[in-house]
Amino acid sequence: PLANCFLKSGLAMILFTCMIGQLNTQVNASHCMLDYLNDHFATFTVWVAMGIEASGLLHASYLIQMIVAKLAGKPVESNEEPRDAFGNICYWGKIVFSCAFLIFAFTVTLSALFDGKTTMWEGVPTVIAVIFFFGLMSVVGMLEGMQIAFFAVAKITEEERNANRWAGMTCDLLFGNGG
């Protein structure tokens, strides 16, 4: 039944990893940014991340950023110098490559989910498997958003943090007890 579905499917471990394993490191990293990166494995991780960024694999996020900024009516602020023609060709080429790769990955994943080629427990309709997939993707997305927010609020004053009641309560929880 429910306990069997929750424990044998791996759902409990996925949620445990996302909420406990990732959240603690994000809070620690937002408070002690340089101390957290002071080892050789972190240097290796940064170089791998820079390689992935240079490859353009994740440039679809820049397209999403531009769309959201346009919808909000705000300009995208950047410290980079304006790109020349070749830079624009490379930039937009990376965005097209990234979007094509993202569409391919979603196609393969959704095909597998609808064909029942998953480790989802027996008897669960494929539509529910797709809903679970997007639900878990949303949890990971929210955790990533929290990480960005933690880094941002670590740099602002306490008065700015307390400008909103909910933001103040969240920051009190985040930075309380010397955190």
Side-chain angles (χ1 to χ4, degrees), residues 124-160:
V124 175
T126 56
V127 174
I128 301 298
V130 171
I131 291 170
F132 265 116
F133 169 72
F134 282 107
L136 291 173
M137 292 287 286
S138 298
V139 168
V140 172
M142 285 185 274
L143 289 172
E144 290 301 317
M146 287 173 60
Q147 179 181 6
I148 294 166
F150 292 166
F151 279 109
V153 297
K155 298 177 184 177
I156 62 176
T157 64
E158 191 169 342
E159 293 79 31
E160 290 173 308

PDB file of all heavy atoms in Angstrom, residues 124-160:
ATOM      1  N   VAL A 124       0.320   1.962 -11.167  1.00  0.00           N
ATOM      2  CA  VAL A 124       0.210   3.416 -11.206  1.00  0.00           C
ATOM      3  C   VAL A 124       0.054   3.845 -12.668  1.00  0.00           C
ATOM      4  O   VAL A 124       0.879   3.493 -13.509  1.00  0.00           O
ATOM      5  CB  VAL A 124       1.459   4.085 -10.594  1.00  0.00           C
ATOM      6  CG1 VAL A 124       1.397   5.592 -10.754  1.00  0.00           C
ATOM      7  CG2 VAL A 124       1.579   3.720  -9.129  1.00  0.00           C
ATOM      8  N   PRO A 125      -1.007   4.577 -12.978  1.00  0.00           N
ATOM      9  CA  PRO A 125      -1.203   5.025 -14.358  1.00  0.00           C
ATOM     10  C   PRO A 125      -0.055   5.927 -14.820  1.00  0.00           C
ATOM     11  O   PRO A 125       0.565   6.631 -14.015  1.00  0.00           O
ATOM     12  CB  PRO A 125      -2.516   5.810 -14.304  1.00  0.00           C
ATOM     13  CG  PRO A 125      -3.167   5.407 -13.037  1.00  0.00           C
ATOM     14  CD  PRO A 125      -2.090   4.991 -12.096  1.00  0.00           C
ATOM     15  N   THR A 126       0.192   5.904 -16.117  1.00  0.00           N
ATOM     16  CA  THR A 126       1.299   6.697 -16.653  1.00  0.00           C
ATOM     17  C   THR A 126       1.102   8.192 -16.425  1.00  0.00           C
ATOM     18  O   THR A 126       2.073   8.926 -16.242  1.00  0.00           O
ATOM     19  CB  THR A 126       1.482   6.419 -18.161  1.00  0.00           C
ATOM     20  OG1 THR A 126       0.248   6.669 -18.827  1.00  0.00           O
ATOM     21  CG2 THR A 126       1.921   5.003 -18.398  1.00  0.00           C
ATOM     22  N   VAL A 127      -0.133   8.643 -16.411  1.00  0.00           N
ATOM     23  CA  VAL A 127      -0.399  10.072 -16.169  1.00  0.00           C
ATOM     24  C   VAL A 127       0.081  10.467 -14.776  1.00  0.00           C
ATOM     25  O   VAL A 127       0.654  11.543 -14.583  1.00  0.00           O
ATOM     26  CB  VAL A 127      -1.908  10.370 -16.348  1.00  0.00           C
ATOM     27  CG1 VAL A 127      -2.231  11.795 -15.953  1.00  0.00           C
ATOM     28  CG2 VAL A 127      -2.336  10.103 -17.776  1.00  0.00           C
ATOM     29  N   ILE A 128      -0.114   9.584 -13.800  1.00  0.00           N
ATOM     30  CA  ILE A 128       0.343   9.852 -12.434  1.00  0.00           C
ATOM     31  C   ILE A 128       1.869   9.886 -12.393  1.00  0.00           C
ATOM     32  O   ILE A 128       2.464  10.716 -11.695  1.00  0.00           O
ATOM     33  CB  ILE A 128      -0.219   8.802 -11.445  1.00  0.00           C
ATOM     34  CG1 ILE A 128      -1.747   8.814 -11.463  1.00  0.00           C
ATOM     35  CG2 ILE A 128       0.310   9.026 -10.041  1.00  0.00           C
ATOM     36  CD1 ILE A 128      -2.382  10.122 -11.034  1.00  0.00           C
ATOM     37  N   ALA A 129       2.519   8.996 -13.155  1.00  0.00           N
ATOM     38  CA  ALA A 129       3.983   9.004 -13.220  1.00  0.00           C
ATOM     39  C   ALA A 129       4.494  10.330 -13.775  1.00  0.00           C
ATOM     40  O   ALA A 129       5.481  10.883 -13.279  1.00  0.00           O
ATOM     41  CB  ALA A 129       4.482   7.840 -14.068  1.00  0.00           C
ATOM     42  N   VAL A 130       3.812  10.859 -14.778  1.00  0.00           N
ATOM     43  CA  VAL A 130       4.202  12.148 -15.356  1.00  0.00           C
ATOM     44  C   VAL A 130       3.989  13.267 -14.337  1.00  0.00           C
ATOM     45  O   VAL A 130       4.831  14.158 -14.188  1.00  0.00           O
ATOM     46  CB  VAL A 130       3.422  12.421 -16.662  1.00  0.00           C
ATOM     47  CG1 VAL A 130       3.648  13.838 -17.159  1.00  0.00           C
ATOM     48  CG2 VAL A 130       3.801  11.408 -17.723  1.00  0.00           C
ATOM     49  N   ILE A 131       2.880  13.211 -13.613  1.00  0.00           N
ATOM     50  CA  ILE A 131       2.612  14.218 -12.582  1.00  0.00           C
ATOM     51  C   ILE A 131       3.685  14.160 -11.498  1.00  0.00           C
ATOM     52  O   ILE A 131       4.188  15.202 -11.046  1.00  0.00           O
ATOM     53  CB  ILE A 131       1.194  14.036 -11.994  1.00  0.00           C
ATOM     54  CG1 ILE A 131       0.155  14.406 -13.052  1.00  0.00           C
ATOM     55  CG2 ILE A 131       1.004  14.873 -10.737  1.00  0.00           C
ATOM     56  CD1 ILE A 131      -1.267  14.056 -12.685  1.00  0.00           C
ATOM     57  N   PHE A 132       4.076  12.947 -11.069  1.00  0.00           N
ATOM     58  CA  PHE A 132       5.155  12.796 -10.091  1.00  0.00           C
ATOM     59  C   PHE A 132       6.457  13.389 -10.626  1.00  0.00           C
ATOM     60  O   PHE A 132       7.192  14.074  -9.904  1.00  0.00           O
ATOM     61  CB  PHE A 132       5.384  11.318  -9.737  1.00  0.00           C
ATOM     62  CG  PHE A 132       4.656  10.870  -8.522  1.00  0.00           C
ATOM     63  CD1 PHE A 132       3.675   9.896  -8.617  1.00  0.00           C
ATOM     64  CD2 PHE A 132       4.940  11.391  -7.276  1.00  0.00           C
ATOM     65  CE1 PHE A 132       2.987   9.469  -7.501  1.00  0.00           C
ATOM     66  CE2 PHE A 132       4.269  10.971  -6.156  1.00  0.00           C
ATOM     67  CZ  PHE A 132       3.288  10.008  -6.263  1.00  0.00           C
ATOM     68  N   PHE A 133       6.755  13.105 -11.888  1.00  0.00           N
ATOM     69  CA  PHE A 133       7.981  13.625 -12.496  1.00  0.00           C
ATOM     70  C   PHE A 133       8.012  15.151 -12.430  1.00  0.00           C
ATOM     71  O   PHE A 133       8.994  15.742 -11.973  1.00  0.00           O
ATOM     72  CB  PHE A 133       8.086  13.149 -13.952  1.00  0.00           C
ATOM     73  CG  PHE A 133       9.165  13.826 -14.735  1.00  0.00           C
ATOM     74  CD1 PHE A 133      10.503  13.537 -14.493  1.00  0.00           C
ATOM     75  CD2 PHE A 133       8.856  14.757 -15.711  1.00  0.00           C
ATOM     76  CE1 PHE A 133      11.507  14.163 -15.213  1.00  0.00           C
ATOM     77  CE2 PHE A 133       9.852  15.384 -16.440  1.00  0.00           C
ATOM     78  CZ  PHE A 133      11.176  15.094 -16.192  1.00  0.00           C
ATOM     79  N   PHE A 134       6.944  15.797 -12.882  1.00  0.00           N
ATOM     80  CA  PHE A 134       6.925  17.255 -12.869  1.00  0.00           C
ATOM     81  C   PHE A 134       6.862  17.804 -11.439  1.00  0.00           C
ATOM     82  O   PHE A 134       7.412  18.877 -11.163  1.00  0.00           O
ATOM     83  CB  PHE A 134       5.787  17.796 -13.734  1.00  0.00           C
ATOM     84  CG  PHE A 134       6.109  17.748 -15.197  1.00  0.00           C
ATOM     85  CD1 PHE A 134       5.506  16.821 -16.017  1.00  0.00           C
ATOM     86  CD2 PHE A 134       7.032  18.613 -15.747  1.00  0.00           C
ATOM     87  CE1 PHE A 134       5.807  16.761 -17.367  1.00  0.00           C
ATOM     88  CE2 PHE A 134       7.352  18.562 -17.094  1.00  0.00           C
ATOM     89  CZ  PHE A 134       6.737  17.631 -17.905  1.00  0.00           C
ATOM     90  N   GLY A 135       6.231  17.073 -10.527  1.00  0.00           N
ATOM     91  CA  GLY A 135       6.223  17.482  -9.124  1.00  0.00           C
ATOM     92  C   GLY A 135       7.623  17.476  -8.531  1.00  0.00           C
ATOM     93  O   GLY A 135       8.034  18.432  -7.863  1.00  0.00           O
ATOM     94  N   LEU A 136       8.371  16.400  -8.783  1.00  0.00           N
ATOM     95  CA  LEU A 136       9.740  16.326  -8.269  1.00  0.00           C
ATOM     96  C   LEU A 136      10.645  17.352  -8.946  1.00  0.00           C
ATOM     97  O   LEU A 136      11.526  17.933  -8.301  1.00  0.00           O
ATOM     98  CB  LEU A 136      10.295  14.915  -8.438  1.00  0.00           C
ATOM     99  CG  LEU A 136       9.647  13.868  -7.538  1.00  0.00           C
ATOM    100  CD1 LEU A 136      10.127  12.474  -7.897  1.00  0.00           C
ATOM    101  CD2 LEU A 136       9.923  14.168  -6.073  1.00  0.00           C
ATOM    102  N   MET A 137      10.424  17.579 -10.234  1.00  0.00           N
ATOM    103  CA  MET A 137      11.197  18.629 -10.921  1.00  0.00           C
ATOM    104  C   MET A 137      10.900  19.996 -10.293  1.00  0.00           C
ATOM    105  O   MET A 137      11.796  20.830 -10.159  1.00  0.00           O
ATOM    106  CB  MET A 137      10.851  18.647 -12.413  1.00  0.00           C
ATOM    107  CG  MET A 137      11.319  17.439 -13.175  1.00  0.00           C
ATOM    108  SD  MET A 137      13.078  17.412 -13.426  1.00  0.00           S
ATOM    109  CE  MET A 137      13.237  18.652 -14.666  1.00  0.00           C
ATOM    110  N   SER A 138       9.665  20.215  -9.893  1.00  0.00           N
ATOM    111  CA  SER A 138       9.301  21.481  -9.246  1.00  0.00           C
ATOM    112  C   SER A 138       9.980  21.622  -7.892  1.00  0.00           C
ATOM    113  O   SER A 138      10.450  22.709  -7.542  1.00  0.00           O
ATOM    114  CB  SER A 138       7.782  21.574  -9.080  1.00  0.00           C
ATOM    115  OG  SER A 138       7.152  21.557 -10.329  1.00  0.00           O
ATOM    116  N   VAL A 139      10.050  20.525  -7.132  1.00  0.00           N
ATOM    117  CA  VAL A 139      10.731  20.569  -5.828  1.00  0.00           C
ATOM    118  C   VAL A 139      12.195  20.941  -6.019  1.00  0.00           C
ATOM    119  O   VAL A 139      12.727  21.819  -5.327  1.00  0.00           O
ATOM    120  CB  VAL A 139      10.603  19.212  -5.092  1.00  0.00           C
ATOM    121  CG1 VAL A 139      11.537  19.140  -3.898  1.00  0.00           C
ATOM    122  CG2 VAL A 139       9.166  18.997  -4.647  1.00  0.00           C
ATOM    123  N   VAL A 140      12.857  20.299  -6.961  1.00  0.00           N
ATOM    124  CA  VAL A 140      14.266  20.612  -7.218  1.00  0.00           C
ATOM    125  C   VAL A 140      14.409  22.057  -7.685  1.00  0.00           C
ATOM    126  O   VAL A 140      15.330  22.769  -7.256  1.00  0.00           O
ATOM    127  CB  VAL A 140      14.866  19.617  -8.237  1.00  0.00           C
ATOM    128  CG1 VAL A 140      16.254  20.041  -8.665  1.00  0.00           C
ATOM    129  CG2 VAL A 140      14.892  18.218  -7.652  1.00  0.00           C
ATOM    130  N   GLY A 141      13.517  22.522  -8.539  1.00  0.00           N
ATOM    131  CA  GLY A 141      13.556  23.910  -8.998  1.00  0.00           C
ATOM    132  C   GLY A 141      13.380  24.898  -7.859  1.00  0.00           C
ATOM    133  O   GLY A 141      14.069  25.925  -7.800  1.00  0.00           O
ATOM    134  N   MET A 142      12.467  24.593  -6.944  1.00  0.00           N
ATOM    135  CA  MET A 142      12.269  25.477  -5.790  1.00  0.00           C
ATOM    136  C   MET A 142      13.500  25.479  -4.892  1.00  0.00           C
ATOM    137  O   MET A 142      13.887  26.536  -4.368  1.00  0.00           O
ATOM    138  CB  MET A 142      11.030  25.062  -5.013  1.00  0.00           C
ATOM    139  CG  MET A 142       9.744  25.447  -5.716  1.00  0.00           C
ATOM    140  SD  MET A 142       8.282  25.102  -4.740  1.00  0.00           S
ATOM    141  CE  MET A 142       7.985  23.397  -5.174  1.00  0.00           C
ATOM    142  N   LEU A 143      14.133  24.335  -4.715  1.00  0.00           N
ATOM    143  CA  LEU A 143      15.354  24.286  -3.904  1.00  0.00           C
ATOM    144  C   LEU A 143      16.465  25.102  -4.555  1.00  0.00           C
ATOM    145  O   LEU A 143      17.225  25.789  -3.863  1.00  0.00           O
ATOM    146  CB  LEU A 143      15.791  22.839  -3.685  1.00  0.00           C
ATOM    147  CG  LEU A 143      14.908  22.030  -2.738  1.00  0.00           C
ATOM    148  CD1 LEU A 143      15.314  20.560  -2.751  1.00  0.00           C
ATOM    149  CD2 LEU A 143      14.976  22.584  -1.328  1.00  0.00           C
ATOM    150  N   GLU A 144      16.570  25.036  -5.867  1.00  0.00           N
ATOM    151  CA  GLU A 144      17.576  25.845  -6.564  1.00  0.00           C
ATOM    152  C   GLU A 144      17.256  27.335  -6.414  1.00  0.00           C
ATOM    153  O   GLU A 144      18.160  28.153  -6.233  1.00  0.00           O
ATOM    154  CB  GLU A 144      17.650  25.448  -8.041  1.00  0.00           C
ATOM    155  CG  GLU A 144      18.252  24.084  -8.267  1.00  0.00           C
ATOM    156  CD  GLU A 144      19.660  23.945  -7.723  1.00  0.00           C
ATOM    157  OE1 GLU A 144      20.476  24.876  -7.893  1.00  0.00           O
ATOM    158  OE2 GLU A 144      19.945  22.900  -7.118  1.00  0.00           O
ATOM    159  N   GLY A 145      15.987  27.685  -6.502  1.00  0.00           N
ATOM    160  CA  GLY A 145      15.591  29.072  -6.289  1.00  0.00           C
ATOM    161  C   GLY A 145      15.908  29.542  -4.875  1.00  0.00           C
ATOM    162  O   GLY A 145      16.343  30.670  -4.660  1.00  0.00           O
ATOM    163  N   MET A 146      15.711  28.645  -3.906  1.00  0.00           N
ATOM    164  CA  MET A 146      16.047  28.983  -2.517  1.00  0.00           C
ATOM    165  C   MET A 146      17.545  29.219  -2.380  1.00  0.00           C
ATOM    166  O   MET A 146      17.974  30.116  -1.651  1.00  0.00           O
ATOM    167  CB  MET A 146      15.602  27.863  -1.575  1.00  0.00           C
ATOM    168  CG  MET A 146      14.110  27.793  -1.370  1.00  0.00           C
ATOM    169  SD  MET A 146      13.587  26.349  -0.429  1.00  0.00           S
ATOM    170  CE  MET A 146      14.436  26.568   1.091  1.00  0.00           C
ATOM    171  N   GLN A 147      18.345  28.421  -3.063  1.00  0.00           N
ATOM    172  CA  GLN A 147      19.793  28.594  -2.995  1.00  0.00           C
ATOM    173  C   GLN A 147      20.177  29.982  -3.498  1.00  0.00           C
ATOM    174  O   GLN A 147      20.968  30.683  -2.855  1.00  0.00           O
ATOM    175  CB  GLN A 147      20.482  27.528  -3.826  1.00  0.00           C
ATOM    176  CG  GLN A 147      21.985  27.633  -3.832  1.00  0.00           C
ATOM    177  CD  GLN A 147      22.629  26.563  -4.683  1.00  0.00           C
ATOM    178  OE1 GLN A 147      21.963  25.802  -5.363  1.00  0.00           O
ATOM    179  NE2 GLN A 147      23.938  26.517  -4.651  1.00  0.00           N
ATOM    180  N   ILE A 148      19.621  30.393  -4.611  1.00  0.00           N
ATOM    181  CA  ILE A 148      19.917  31.718  -5.152  1.00  0.00           C
ATOM    182  C   ILE A 148      19.460  32.798  -4.172  1.00  0.00           C
ATOM    183  O   ILE A 148      20.177  33.768  -3.917  1.00  0.00           O
ATOM    184  CB  ILE A 148      19.246  31.884  -6.528  1.00  0.00           C
ATOM    185  CG1 ILE A 148      19.877  30.924  -7.530  1.00  0.00           C
ATOM    186  CG2 ILE A 148      19.336  33.325  -7.018  1.00  0.00           C
ATOM    187  CD1 ILE A 148      19.096  30.758  -8.807  1.00  0.00           C
ATOM    188  N   ALA A 149      18.285  32.614  -3.585  1.00  0.00           N
ATOM    189  CA  ALA A 149      17.767  33.594  -2.621  1.00  0.00           C
ATOM    190  C   ALA A 149      18.648  33.653  -1.376  1.00  0.00           C
ATOM    191  O   ALA A 149      18.906  34.741  -0.851  1.00  0.00           O
ATOM    192  CB  ALA A 149      16.332  33.245  -2.242  1.00  0.00           C
ATOM    193  N   PHE A 150      19.144  32.503  -0.895  1.00  0.00           N
ATOM    194  CA  PHE A 150      20.009  32.491   0.288  1.00  0.00           C
ATOM    195  C   PHE A 150      21.292  33.274   0.028  1.00  0.00           C
ATOM    196  O   PHE A 150      21.755  34.029   0.876  1.00  0.00           O
ATOM    197  CB  PHE A 150      20.356  31.067   0.704  1.00  0.00           C
ATOM    198  CG  PHE A 150      19.190  30.275   1.239  1.00  0.00           C
ATOM    199  CD1 PHE A 150      19.286  28.904   1.376  1.00  0.00           C
ATOM    200  CD2 PHE A 150      17.998  30.878   1.602  1.00  0.00           C
ATOM    201  CE1 PHE A 150      18.229  28.160   1.863  1.00  0.00           C
ATOM    202  CE2 PHE A 150      16.934  30.149   2.092  1.00  0.00           C
ATOM    203  CZ  PHE A 150      17.059  28.786   2.220  1.00  0.00           C
ATOM    204  N   PHE A 151      21.880  33.085  -1.143  1.00  0.00           N
ATOM    205  CA  PHE A 151      23.081  33.840  -1.473  1.00  0.00           C
ATOM    206  C   PHE A 151      22.778  35.333  -1.546  1.00  0.00           C
ATOM    207  O   PHE A 151      23.589  36.152  -1.133  1.00  0.00           O
ATOM    208  CB  PHE A 151      23.680  33.362  -2.803  1.00  0.00           C
ATOM    209  CG  PHE A 151      24.513  32.129  -2.666  1.00  0.00           C
ATOM    210  CD1 PHE A 151      24.071  30.919  -3.159  1.00  0.00           C
ATOM    211  CD2 PHE A 151      25.759  32.179  -2.047  1.00  0.00           C
ATOM    212  CE1 PHE A 151      24.840  29.772  -3.028  1.00  0.00           C
ATOM    213  CE2 PHE A 151      26.534  31.049  -1.915  1.00  0.00           C
ATOM    214  CZ  PHE A 151      26.084  29.838  -2.410  1.00  0.00           C
ATOM    215  N   ALA A 152      21.621  35.686  -2.080  1.00  0.00           N
ATOM    216  CA  ALA A 152      21.267  37.102  -2.217  1.00  0.00           C
ATOM    217  C   ALA A 152      21.021  37.751  -0.862  1.00  0.00           C
ATOM    218  O   ALA A 152      21.524  38.849  -0.602  1.00  0.00           O
ATOM    219  CB  ALA A 152      20.034  37.246  -3.109  1.00  0.00           C
ATOM    220  N   VAL A 153      20.263  37.097   0.028  1.00  0.00           N
ATOM    221  CA  VAL A 153      19.946  37.727   1.315  1.00  0.00           C
ATOM    222  C   VAL A 153      21.138  37.728   2.260  1.00  0.00           C
ATOM    223  O   VAL A 153      21.154  38.499   3.215  1.00  0.00           O
ATOM    224  CB  VAL A 153      18.712  37.087   2.005  1.00  0.00           C
ATOM    225  CG1 VAL A 153      17.467  37.263   1.185  1.00  0.00           C
ATOM    226  CG2 VAL A 153      18.951  35.646   2.370  1.00  0.00           C
ATOM    227  N   ALA A 154      22.144  36.908   1.998  1.00  0.00           N
ATOM    228  CA  ALA A 154      23.338  36.925   2.837  1.00  0.00           C
ATOM    229  C   ALA A 154      24.098  38.242   2.675  1.00  0.00           C
ATOM    230  O   ALA A 154      24.865  38.628   3.554  1.00  0.00           O
ATOM    231  CB  ALA A 154      24.245  35.753   2.499  1.00  0.00           C
ATOM    232  N   LYS A 155      23.854  38.934   1.573  1.00  0.00           N
ATOM    233  CA  LYS A 155      24.590  40.160   1.275  1.00  0.00           C
ATOM    234  C   LYS A 155      23.843  41.435   1.637  1.00  0.00           C
ATOM    235  O   LYS A 155      24.386  42.518   1.488  1.00  0.00           O
ATOM    236  CB  LYS A 155      24.914  40.191  -0.226  1.00  0.00           C
ATOM    237  CG  LYS A 155      25.793  39.058  -0.677  1.00  0.00           C
ATOM    238  CD  LYS A 155      26.002  39.111  -2.164  1.00  0.00           C
ATOM    239  CE  LYS A 155      26.801  37.910  -2.638  1.00  0.00           C
ATOM    240  NZ  LYS A 155      26.949  37.906  -4.097  1.00  0.00           N
ATOM    241  N   ILE A 156      22.593  41.334   2.077  1.00  0.00           N
ATOM    242  CA  ILE A 156      21.829  42.546   2.371  1.00  0.00           C
ATOM    243  C   ILE A 156      21.712  42.745   3.876  1.00  0.00           C
ATOM    244  O   ILE A 156      21.945  41.825   4.662  1.00  0.00           O
ATOM    245  CB  ILE A 156      20.435  42.519   1.707  1.00  0.00           C
ATOM    246  CG1 ILE A 156      19.591  41.363   2.234  1.00  0.00           C
ATOM    247  CG2 ILE A 156      20.556  42.449   0.203  1.00  0.00           C
ATOM    248  CD1 ILE A 156      18.171  41.338   1.676  1.00  0.00           C
ATOM    249  N   THR A 157      21.334  43.960   4.262  1.00  0.00           N
ATOM    250  CA  THR A 157      21.250  44.288   5.684  1.00  0.00           C
ATOM    251  C   THR A 157      20.001  43.670   6.310  1.00  0.00           C
ATOM    252  O   THR A 157      19.059  43.289   5.602  1.00  0.00           O
ATOM    253  CB  THR A 157      21.202  45.814   5.883  1.00  0.00           C
ATOM    254  OG1 THR A 157      19.993  46.310   5.297  1.00  0.00           O
ATOM    255  CG2 THR A 157      22.406  46.482   5.255  1.00  0.00           C
ATOM    256  N   GLU A 158      19.990  43.619   7.616  1.00  0.00           N
ATOM    257  CA  GLU A 158      18.848  43.053   8.334  1.00  0.00           C
ATOM    258  C   GLU A 158      17.592  43.897   8.129  1.00  0.00           C
ATOM    259  O   GLU A 158      16.488  43.354   8.053  1.00  0.00           O
ATOM    260  CB  GLU A 158      19.174  42.931   9.822  1.00  0.00           C
ATOM    261  CG  GLU A 158      18.152  42.120  10.565  1.00  0.00           C
ATOM    262  CD  GLU A 158      18.590  41.770  11.982  1.00  0.00           C
ATOM    263  OE1 GLU A 158      19.787  41.855  12.273  1.00  0.00           O
ATOM    264  OE2 GLU A 158      17.705  41.425  12.780  1.00  0.00           O
ATOM    265  N   GLU A 159      17.753  45.219   8.007  1.00  0.00           N
ATOM    266  CA  GLU A 159      16.596  46.081   7.760  1.00  0.00           C
ATOM    267  C   GLU A 159      15.951  45.751   6.419  1.00  0.00           C
ATOM    268  O   GLU A 159      14.722  45.714   6.289  1.00  0.00           O
ATOM    269  CB  GLU A 159      17.000  47.561   7.790  1.00  0.00           C
ATOM    270  CG  GLU A 159      17.446  48.063   9.152  1.00  0.00           C
ATOM    271  CD  GLU A 159      18.889  47.661   9.483  1.00  0.00           C
ATOM    272  OE1 GLU A 159      19.716  47.546   8.567  1.00  0.00           O
ATOM    273  OE2 GLU A 159      19.169  47.432  10.666  1.00  0.00           O
ATOM    274  N   GLU A 160      16.785  45.505   5.403  1.00  0.00           N
ATOM    275  CA  GLU A 160      16.254  45.152   4.087  1.00  0.00           C
ATOM    276  C   GLU A 160      15.578  43.780   4.122  1.00  0.00           C
ATOM    277  O   GLU A 160      14.562  43.565   3.473  1.00  0.00           O
ATOM    278  CB  GLU A 160      17.374  45.137   3.043  1.00  0.00           C
ATOM    279  CG  GLU A 160      17.910  46.520   2.717  1.00  0.00           C
ATOM    280  CD  GLU A 160      19.117  46.456   1.810  1.00  0.00           C
ATOM    281  OE1 GLU A 160      20.077  45.730   2.126  1.00  0.00           O
ATOM    282  OE2 GLU A 160      19.086  47.141   0.767  1.00  0.00           O
TER     283      GLU A 160
END
